[in-house]
Each structure stands twice: as C-alpha cells, then as structure tokens.
Amino acid sequence: MHASATGPRKDLDWPIGALINQACHACTAMAWEARGDEMAAAYLSEEEGQMIKNTLAAKGEAELQKVAARLDKAGVPYKLWVEQPEDVPVCIATWPRRRSELKKPTKGLSRF
C-alpha cells in the first residue's frame, strides 16, 4: 500500500510547524473519511508491514487544484484540506492506494 500527502503548498509563507500541522490535519481527515475503505483498512492495519507515505510539494494553489482534477479523473479518492477561517486550500492527502495508481495524478510534484 502507499499513501501520499501532496502538499503543503510551497508558496505559503508559513512556519514549517504550521505546514506540518496542515499535512497532519489532511491525513487525519483522510483516514477518518476512508475508514470503511478496504484498501485504507489494510494500509492502516499495517497488513503488509508498512505504511509508506510521500510528502510532495505543490508550487501553489493552481498546481494543487490541477492535482485534485487529475486525482478526480483517475478515480483516486482524496481529502483537500482547506484551512479555516481563512478558506485557504493548503494540501491534499490521498486515500491509501498502490503507487502505480498515484504516479500519474501526482506527476510533476517534487518531494517537499
């Protein structure tokens, strides 16, 4: 199994701790939303003995939205974390899926 958090956005001039918090919010929300999904259950139970994550960087909101559109097109479920009350889309956490399913939708993103 493989889970990928795309973001946080690199264009936000926030302290690293705040960005880490945003990624954690997205991953926690994703895990809750995916709790009934068979692949998520296998991933979260460490059925395969590993919980692989990649933290990828989106250059800005436009790139984050492009990734969301590609994930939608590929049928990969995800959680878009929007910080409130500012209403700022910050990052995406995909539901656990095979690396092969995530490769094309996240193409072009670099490691954070």
Side-chain angles (χ1 to χ4, degrees):
M1 286 296 153
H2 185 81
S4 175
T6 62
R9 291 172 28 197
K10 282 201 162 195
D11 66 325
L12 298 172
D13 191 26
W14 295 359
I16 193 70
L19 295 175
I20 291 169
N21 288 343
Q22 299 305 306
C24 290
H25 289 322
C27 289
T28 302
M30 172 280 297
W32 178 254
E33 289 179 359
R35 67 191 177 278
D37 180 73
E38 185 178 306
M39 292 180 85
Y43 173 81
L44 294 168
S45 70
E46 295 189 73
E47 188 174 282
E48 295 181 8
Q50 57 185 346
M51 293 178 79
I52 299 169
K53 292 175 185 57
N54 280 326
T55 303
L56 305 171
K59 293 177 188 129
E61 185 176 350
E63 186 173 42
L64 193 69
Q65 297 295 353
K66 260 191 221 179
V67 170
R70 290 194 308 244
L71 290 166
D72 287 337
K73 185 176 180 180
V76 175
Y78 61 91
K79 173 64 178 179
L80 172 64
W81 185 257
V82 180
E83 180 62 11
Q84 297 298 338
E86 298 86 355
D87 201 33
V88 176
V90 179
C91 62
I92 291 173
T94 64
W95 288 23
R97 292 298 183 258
R98 297 275 174 209
R99 184 182 315 250
S100 59
E101 292 179 60
L102 297 172
K103 190 172 183 176
K104 188 174 180 181
T106 60
K107 186 178 179 177
L109 297 175
S110 61
R111 290 224 174 208
F112 191 84

